[in-house]
Amino acid sequence: MSSEDAVAEGVLSARGLRVEFGLPGGRVARAVDGVDLDVAPGEIVALAGESGCGKTTLARALLGLERPTGGSVSFGGEPLRFSSRALKAYRRRVQLVLQDPTGALNPRHTVYDAVAEGLRIHGIADDEPGRVAEALSRAGLRPPEQFFLAYPHELSGGQRQRVVIAGALVLEPDLLVADEPVASLDASVRGEILSLLLRFKEDAGLGALVITHDLGLAWSIADRIAIMYLGRVVEQGPVEEVLTAPRHPYTRALVSVLPDSPVAEPIVLAGELPDASRIPGGCRFRPRCPAYASGEAAAVRERCEGEDPVLAGPESLRVACHLVHARMVA
């Protein structure tokens, strides 16, 4: 994709993005620590990793809900600006879908008011009932008028999540950022919501960044996947390639516990869970890396101890691992 095409297609991009938080005692948590990521309309990108790896903070920074400490966010080639007017215009085109539909919906608002809220915020007054009905219908709530006067407590969990999605769709965005969009739903409903997101992509060219800890979900819905560890993306590429032939030791460990995993034996990661306020020197994954602990990475041991690897490899499939880089060159 050329740079001109990227601008035309409204690509959401992060370059060297950093988000830091001050902690008691003068410590700093580097929640997002130099991330490059692109999401285009018409594709679904999964952002996966353990809890605490920085996924949600990255999503908030991409949406302008968290001001980056460094790096940049752009949309359609234009940098994200943090004035109220600029953010309002931006969030009409890039919409958030939250994990918990119950918390996302005001219990005192009807379904109609919940979906119409975005239209009212953005001053879109023409044919409000028609727009609300269309959004509810696209989200799978049919006939939509039947839901207008319902309150959240009168709906099932799946219906509430569809209302949240309708509230995003009513503004006709280019992209959705969905943070664990089915985590709170029963298994029987999860597939319906995922199918809905796929249909938006296929029918309307709507793209999405889906935040998840569930690689099975990523496999079923995403075109590309980015694996995040301790504030950085350590592997990214087409979802089928990454999950059927994982290269980074962290990705291999995550994939190893999946049913029908291509990794022969489950890999248990030793050491403490990652802490963004105590990022180790050298490769940040080294304290938990099975390849480093076993001596498999002996040839690159000094680099593992002294240098944090960067994403490298073919443009479509990149890995941040000294051992993988050495094997690429060999």
Side-chain angles (χ1 to χ4, degrees):
M1 179 186 295
S2 70
S3 59
E4 291 81 8
D5 289 337
V7 172
E9 293 185 20
V11 175
L12 174 62
S13 296
R15 290 292 177 268
L17 193 65
R18 293 186 293 111
V19 180
E20 297 178 353
F21 300 109
L23 298 174
R27 293 183 302 140
V28 174
R30 290 183 278 163
V32 178
D33 195 23
V35 168
D36 294 348
L37 189 69
D38 295 320
V39 188
E43 75 166 346
I44 296 177
V45 178
L47 181 64
E50 295 171 296
S51 296
C53 71
K55 304 186 299 295
T56 295
T57 302
L58 174 58
R60 288 178 57 81
L62 291 173
L63 285 159
L65 297 171
E66 197 72 61
R67 195 166 192 132
T69 309
S72 64
V73 176
S74 65
F75 183 73
E78 295 295 323
L80 176 60
R81 295 181 174 86
F82 285 85
S83 68
S84 297
R85 184 174 181 178
L87 284 174
K88 183 177 178 180
Y90 171 67
R91 289 177 188 152
R92 180 175 176 179
R93 301 187 66 186
V94 182
Q95 278 282 301
L96 173 65
V97 176
L98 291 169
Q99 172 181 349
D100 179 10
T102 302
L105 296 172
N106 188 325
R108 296 185 179 87
H109 286 181
T110 64
V111 165
Y112 182 95
D113 287 330
V115 177
E117 182 177 14
L119 296 174
R120 294 166 183 172
I121 289 172
H122 289 273
I124 303 170
D126 62 302
D127 191 21
E128 181 181 282
R131 289 176 182 269
V132 171
E134 172 64 19
L136 287 169
S137 182
R138 287 181 67 193
L141 293 173
R142 304 185 186 96
E145 292 80 6
Q146 179 179 313
F147 296 90
F148 276 7
L149 299 181
Y151 287 88
H153 72 271
E154 298 174 317
L155 305 177
S156 68
Q159 288 173 329
R160 286 194 292 267
Q161 187 64 296
R162 289 174 188 268
V163 172
V164 171
I165 291 171
L169 293 178
V170 76
L171 292 172
E172 300 182 356
D174 298 301
L175 290 166
L176 299 178
V177 176
D179 190 357
E180 301 281 7
V182 296
S184 63
L185 302 178
D186 293 339
S188 60
V189 182
R190 288 163 57 93
E192 297 175 11
I193 299 298
L194 296 179
S195 295
L196 195 64
L197 294 176
L198 284 171
R199 189 160 70 247
F200 297 154
K201 181 189 109 169
E202 293 163 2
D203 294 348
L206 181 65
L209 175 65
V210 178
I211 315 298
T212 183
H213 66 278
D214 184 347
L215 294 184
L217 182 154
W219 174 266
S220 66
I221 195 174
D223 301 297
R224 293 190 296 116
I225 187 169
I227 304 294
M228 197 166 180
Y229 183 80
L230 200 51
R232 282 196 179 173
V233 173
V234 296
E235 184 164 1
Q236 66 175 348
V239 67
E240 184 172 356
E241 291 187 52
V242 171
L243 296 187
T244 59
R247 291 159 174 78
H248 195 282
Y250 178 59
T251 310
R252 288 181 59 79
L254 296 180
V255 170
S256 73
V257 298
L258 295 177
D260 302 317
S261 171
V263 180
E265 298 289 338
I267 299 171
V268 178
L269 294 177
E272 298 180 4
L273 290 174
D275 182 345
S277 70
R278 294 189 293 115
I279 296 177
C283 173
R284 64 191 57 211
F285 184 60
R286 175 174 50 86
R288 302 177 73 201
C289 179
Y292 179 85
S294 68
E296 182 185 352
V300 292
R301 187 178 185 88
E302 289 188 7
R303 295 193 67 189
C304 294
E305 294 171 351
E307 178 185 346
D308 206 4
V310 298
L311 282 171
E315 183 62 29
S316 64
L317 182 61
R318 297 187 294 161
V319 185
C321 175
H322 294 306
L323 179 60
V324 174
H325 296 170
R327 288 172 174 169
M328 288 178 180
V329 174

